[in-house]
Every structure is written in structure tokens, then in C-alpha cells.
Amino acid sequence: MRKSLVAALALGIASIAAPVLAQDSTPPAATENADQQAKARTLALTMNPLEAFQSTAAEGFASEFEKGVATNPFFAEMEAATPGFTAFISARMLESLSEQMAAAHPVLVADLSRIFADTMTVSQLDAAIGFYQSPTGQKVIALQYSNTAVDQDFLSCIESGKTDCVTAEMIEAQAAAQGMATTASLSSTELVDAAAFYDSDAGRAINGLAPKLNEAAANWTNALMANVESTSIGAVQIAIADWMDMQEEKKKP
């Protein structure tokens, strides 16, 4: 898998570092703690939707699989002999990858939830959930899962709390000039809303947690990739065997 895929898998977090807010030394009540943990999980799920991980992984997988097939004589021979072979194996491998991501996703959510709950107050969590579940916040999350340089530069500007970031029209023009399409441009009003959030207590808390969130996401990604690599050969062999069985079935009268 390309490095950009691994990086993209870990992008469901804020990337601009800022001081972590001071914590109240008074232990929270049991009910408050339970509420805090529940909201921390909601925030982790909102910022790291499984579908976004799977979509990003599918993009990277398709690119890498195509490159690998192009230099593999076995695939060329099989495709020539039984058209559709490459697409079948690709689909099966992508299905396996998606299943492994779905199985591993709760681990990431739990790790990030713990970080949010240990650091952010209930009011900060409420504010962060409210922002990331809003239309503007959803666009910011979409930008976090984009691999284009244009989107990433735009995201960095937004997360720094600025309101003079590139306008929607300008960023679309820049993307078009580079032969790319931006994931989600923000209007001038949405830029103001995003800047207000990242300049708030909740926004500064999110950005201040970037090192911990990045580390947790990177550890999760590395474990996932190691598991994918260890099982990929077996998965390919099973897929090839299934394809051969299908071809034999077609020969039967």
C-alpha cells in the first residue's frame, strides 16, 4: 500500500497543534463520567466514519493493484485465457480489506474515545460534536480524508482558525488547473463558522490533542496493514481457486 493511503487512514483527526486546555482537577461524578465517555465515543465515530476509511482504502488499493497486475505475467496469462479474472480477484481482495477494516474500526474508535474522554470536558465534547455533525463540519471531515494537496492546504488553513482561506471559487479553479476535483469546498460563511469553532475552547482542545490522536491512528493503521499483509497471500489463493472452480462449472453441460 502506498504511503499516502496509510497517511489517509490516519487523517480523521485535526492536524494543527495548539496547547491542550488545562484540566479540572476535581474528579467528575460517575454519571458525568459516563456521559463524558458516551459523548467522547460519539465524537470519535463522527470524526472517523468507517465508510470514509473504506473509501480511502479502496482508492489506494485500486491504484496499487493495477500497478501490480501490470507487471505480473501470471495475471496477464489468466486474463487472456479467462477474461474477467483480474476484476474478480481485485473485487475479492477489496472485499477482504473492507471486512478487516470493519473488524478493526471499533478498536480505533475506543482508543480515540479514551483520549477525548480523558482530556475534554463535556461542554467541549458537545461543542465538537455539534460542529462536526453540522454541514460545515461534515465538509471539513471530507477534506481530512482527501489526498489532494489542494484540499490538505485548505484544511490546514481552516484548522488554524483563519477566515481568509482560499475561497470556494479560487480553490475549485486551482483544483481544475491541477486536473483534480476538491472533495468539499467551503463557502465564505462556512469558513467563518469553521474558524469560529477552531478558535473556541473545543476547537483548541481538538487541535491540542493532535499528537496523541495521530499516534493512536498511526498505531492502529500499522496493525491493520500488518494484518492485511499477513493474510493477503492466502486470500489471493482462495480467490484464484474460487475463480478456477467457476470456470470449471461453466464447462459443464
Side-chain angles (χ1 to χ4, degrees):
M1 293 293 177
R2 62 184 181 184
K3 290 184 179 179
S4 60
L5 169 59
V6 176
L9 288 173
L11 273 177
I13 46 84
S15 58
I16 307 300
V20 179
L21 300 182
Q23 298 297 298
D24 187 343
S25 59
T26 305
T31 53
E32 181 183 352
N33 188 52
D35 187 36
Q36 193 171 24
Q37 291 177 357
K39 290 179 177 180
R41 185 175 185 279
T42 297
L43 178 58
L45 282 168
T46 300
M47 294 181 69
N48 300 271
L50 174 61
E51 295 77 11
F53 280 98
Q54 291 174 324
S55 177
T56 301
E59 264 182 46
F61 172 80
S63 175
E64 290 303 308
F65 187 81
E66 185 177 342
K67 291 177 184 177
V69 168
T71 58
N72 191 312
F74 171 76
F75 273 85
E77 292 173 7
M78 289 295 295
E79 185 65 32
T82 56
F85 170 76
T86 302
F88 177 82
I89 301 300
S90 176
R92 285 288 294 272
M93 293 304 295
L94 182 57
E95 180 182 351
S96 175
L97 175 60
S98 295
E99 289 174 352
Q100 291 186 63
M101 294 187 76
H105 188 247
V107 176
L108 174 66
V109 171
D111 289 343
L112 299 183
S113 298
R114 194 174 305 111
I115 293 171
F116 288 139
D118 288 347
T119 310
M120 298 177 70
T121 65
V122 171
S123 61
Q124 289 171 346
L125 290 168
D126 282 335
I129 292 169
F131 171 71
Y132 284 111
Q133 288 185 347
S134 71
T136 299
Q138 288 295 298
K139 286 189 176 182
V140 172
I141 290 173
L143 287 169
Q144 290 175 333
Y145 285 91
S146 170
N147 282 332
T148 69
V150 174
D151 279 353
Q152 287 305 303
D153 289 345
F154 190 45
L155 176 64
S156 295
C157 180
I158 293 169
E159 290 181 338
S160 68
K162 295 180 181 179
T163 57
D164 58 348
C165 299
V166 183
T167 64
E169 293 75 18
M170 290 172 64
I171 198 166
E172 292 290 359
Q174 184 179 5
Q178 297 184 29
M180 301 180 297
T182 57
T183 303
S185 297
L186 277 70
S187 67
S188 298
T189 301
E190 290 170 332
L191 282 172
V192 172
D193 292 342
F197 169 72
Y198 285 108
D199 193 40
S200 68
D201 284 351
R204 290 194 296 271
I206 291 289
N207 280 340
L209 287 173
K212 288 183 178 180
L213 297 172
N214 272 318
E215 181 180 6
N219 290 339
W220 177 83
T221 300
N222 290 336
L224 173 65
M225 291 296 98
N227 188 59
V228 168
E229 290 176 5
S230 68
T231 59
S232 61
I233 294 178
V236 169
Q237 291 175 336
I238 293 173
I240 291 174
D242 288 346
W243 175 261
M244 298 301 290
D245 288 343
M246 288 170 56
Q247 303 314 303
E248 289 299 319
E249 285 295 321
K250 290 180 180 179
K251 295 177 183 179
K252 293 181 180 180

